[in-house]
């Protein structure tokens, strides 16, 4: 089960996400609470310090609780390793354009959030995933990230990056996404 907590700023999404995850762990569920909010609220609430992933312990838990923040560059690189030709992965990862696009391109952080959510879901390690989103009217838009990135690389300006123009190897990766 995936629970997505959305809403504008200051309505208690992080507090609710944390409380829901805590409750589910008390009920015997294996829970992941994941934040895609770039602020540090959940990170601070769960005591994550600089780590990306942490098991939260409490004597009242009949299940388990893990908390995670997204390292966007690491998540994008892990996705790349799943879909790219292993012979060229290091070349792509060390490319400055890739490094810039994978963290700052509009939709790239939404894409990594969706990728992290999908990876956690497909791992079957959790009975419940609680997603804490950033304060926004349209926070659920991150679900459309793959289509947005694909559209960017289909636009006319992207012709400069197409294989026939420059040999840009990232285009096929975006299409696979």
């Amino acid at each position: 089960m995936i629970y997505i907590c959305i809403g504008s700023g200051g309505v208690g999404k992080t507090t609710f996400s944390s409380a829901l995850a805590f409750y589910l762990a008390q009920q015997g569920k294996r829970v992941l609470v994941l934040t895609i909010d770039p602020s540090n609220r959940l990170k601070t609430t769960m005591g994550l310090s600089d780590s990306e992933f942490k098991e939260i312990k409490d004597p009242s838990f009949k299940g388990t609780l893990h908390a995670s923040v997204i390292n966007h560059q690491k998540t994008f690189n892990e996705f790349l390793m799943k879909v790219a030709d292993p012979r060229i992965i290091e070349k792509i990862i060390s490319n400055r354009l890739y490094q810039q696009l994978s963290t700052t391109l509009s939709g790239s952080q939404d894409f990594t959030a969706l990728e992290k959510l999908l990876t956690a879901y497909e791992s079957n390690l959790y009975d419940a995933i609680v997603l804490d989103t950033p304060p926004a009217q349209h926070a659920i838009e991150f679900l459309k990230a793959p289509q947005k990135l694909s559209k960017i690389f289909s636009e006319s300006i992207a012709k400069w990056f197409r294989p026939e123009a420059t040999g840009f190897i990232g285009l096929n990766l975006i299409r696979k996404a």
Side-chain angles (χ1 to χ4, degrees), residues 85-102:
D85 183 332
R87 297 171 295 183
I88 60 170
I89 289 174
E90 195 55 44
K91 187 174 181 180
I92 296 170
I93 290 174
S94 63
N95 182 285
R96 288 189 342 199
L97 178 60
Y98 164 78
Q99 292 168 358
Q100 185 70 22
L101 292 177
S102 64

Side-chain angles (χ1 to χ4, degrees), residues 14 18 33-35 37-54 56 67-70 132:
T14 299
S18 301
V33 60
L34 172 66
T35 185
D37 187 348
S39 75
N40 289 324
R41 286 185 281 277
L42 186 76
K43 183 177 171 182
T44 303
T45 301
M46 294 292 177
L48 291 173
S49 65
D50 290 331
S51 66
E52 180 185 0
F53 184 85
K54 178 181 179 182
I56 309 298
S68 182
V69 294
I70 296 176
D132 180 38

Side-chain angles (χ1 to χ4, degrees), residues 71-83:
N71 176 326
H72 295 283
Q73 185 69 60
K74 181 180 175 190
T75 302
F76 219 110
N77 290 351
E78 288 169 351
F79 169 75
L80 179 70
M81 289 180 213
K82 285 194 270 186
V83 299

